[in-house]
Amino acid sequence: MIRIYALKLKESELSSYELSSLLNYVSSTKKEKILKYRNKLDAMRSLYADLLIRHLISKSLSIKNKDIELVVNKYGKPYLKKHNLNFNLSHSGFWIVCVIGSNSIGIDVEEVKDINLNIAKVFSKEEYDFLRLKKEKKERISTFFKLWTLKESVVKALGKGLSIPLDSFSIDSIDKEPKVKFMGLVDAEYTLRNIDFDDGYELSICTIGNDEFGGLYYMDIHEVVNSCKM
C-alpha cells in the first residue's frame, strides 16, 4: 500500500522551534550537513524532511527515534540500516513530502516557476518535441514540471539518482496514464502517478511493481516534532 505524507512549513510555526535544539533529534552526519546550509529555508527543509521520515518510521515500525539508523547509498538515496521499509523523500518551496510503499519507490515535488525551457533539452527528444507542441507558455511550464517530477521519481525509485541520464528514457501518455519507455518500449514493471496536489506544485511518484495507492495525508508539524523527542 502506497501512502504519501505531506508537511507544509510555515514561518509562524518555524519560529516557535529553535534549530539548534531540533538538531539533537537527527544523526550527527545529518546535523553537520544541515549546519552547512547558508539559506535558513534550505536548512529547515532538510531538517524537517529528516524529522518527518523519522516520525513515520517510528509509527510504522514501533521503534523510538533514537533507535533509527538512517544511511544513504552511494547515489544519496536514504534507507534504513536494520529494517526493511521502502520510502523516499522530496521537498520544494514550503512543502516536504514522503512516500512509503511495499516496493522500491521514488517521489518528487517541485514548485512550478517561470524558467528557461531550454533546460528541457536534458529530456529525451520525444519529450522535448511533445513539450514544444504546447502553445501557451503557462501550459509548457506546467507540462515541463509534470515531466520533471515523473522522471525524477523514476530515477529515485531505482535508487541511482542522476547517474541515469534523463534522456535515456521517456515518459509516455503523460496527460493520461504515464508509462516509462526505455529504448522506445513501455516497461510495465513501473507504475507512475501524477498526484493532484497544492496549486503551484507538481507531485509525482513511481513504484517498481504494482502497489495500491492508499492516499495523501497532511501532517501536523507539532506532532512530528513531539514524536521525534520521544
Side-chain angles (χ1 to χ4, degrees):
M1 179 73 74
I2 297 171
R3 291 185 173 88
I4 298 173
Y5 299 89
L7 177 66
K8 190 170 188 178
L9 303 181
K10 299 178 181 178
E11 291 286 358
S12 58
E13 291 177 319
L14 295 180
S15 62
S16 65
Y17 297 115
E18 290 292 334
L19 178 64
S20 57
S21 63
L22 292 180
L23 287 172
N24 293 323
Y25 305 108
V26 301
S27 69
S28 57
T29 301
K30 189 68 175 183
K31 180 177 180 179
E32 289 177 12
K33 183 178 179 180
I34 291 170
L35 288 173
K36 290 180 181 178
Y37 284 111
R38 294 184 178 182
N39 182 285
K40 180 183 178 182
L41 182 56
D42 288 337
M44 298 305 281
R45 276 194 296 242
S46 182
L47 171 61
Y48 276 95
D50 203 273
L51 294 177
L52 175 60
I53 190 54
R54 286 175 174 276
H55 165 71
L56 295 174
I57 290 169
S58 179
K59 294 294 184 183
S60 298
L61 301 177
S62 299
I63 58 178
K64 294 182 178 180
N65 179 36
K66 66 182 181 65
D67 297 321
I68 295 173
E69 289 188 72
L70 284 171
V71 291
V72 296
N73 68 13
K74 65 179 181 179
Y75 302 102
K77 184 175 183 177
Y79 65 94
L80 273 171
K81 190 174 183 179
K82 295 181 180 179
H83 301 272
N84 183 24
L85 184 69
N86 291 293
F87 67 90
N88 198 229
L89 291 157
S90 181
H91 48 74
S92 180
F94 284 91
W95 280 107
I96 296 166
V97 292
C98 177
V99 63
I100 293 177
S102 303
N103 303 311
S104 184
I105 199 163
I107 189 169
D108 191 54
V109 64
E110 296 291 341
E111 184 178 8
V112 177
K113 299 178 179 179
D114 188 7
I115 60 166
N116 186 337
L117 286 170
N118 282 331
I119 194 175
K121 291 179 180 179
V122 300
F123 293 167
S124 69
K125 183 179 183 304
E126 184 180 9
E127 291 165 331
Y128 184 63
D129 290 344
F130 174 77
L131 194 60
R132 292 177 62 192
L133 289 175
K134 302 296 181 182
K135 295 181 179 179
E136 299 294 330
K137 182 180 179 181
K138 184 177 181 181
E139 186 180 13
R140 288 198 301 272
I141 290 176
S142 175
T143 301
F144 167 84
F145 280 102
K146 183 180 291 187
L147 265 171
W148 183 273
T149 57
L150 286 165
K151 291 176 77 70
E152 279 283 308
S153 70
V154 171
V155 297
K156 293 177 76 176
L158 288 167
K160 295 183 178 180
L162 292 180
S163 68
I164 302 173
L166 291 180
D167 62 356
S168 66
F169 67 96
S170 298
I171 306 298
D172 192 39
S173 302
I174 180 176
D175 293 328
K176 298 176 183 178
E177 294 184 9
K179 303 290 184 184
V180 181
K181 292 174 67 176
F182 290 100
M183 303 297 290
L185 299 175
V186 171
D187 194 323
E189 186 179 10
Y190 297 79
T191 302
L192 289 171
R193 293 178 177 88
N194 181 250
I195 309 297
D196 186 20
F197 193 52
D198 194 15
D199 289 342
Y201 288 82
E202 286 290 341
L203 172 64
S204 298
I205 58 173
C206 172
T207 183
I208 301 178
N210 293 316
D211 207 349
E212 183 182 352
F213 182 56
L216 171 63
Y217 301 86
Y218 294 92
M219 305 299 294
D220 178 78
I221 197 169
H222 305 288
E223 180 185 0
V224 170
V225 170
N226 291 333
S227 170
C228 291
K229 290 180 179 180
M230 297 176 66

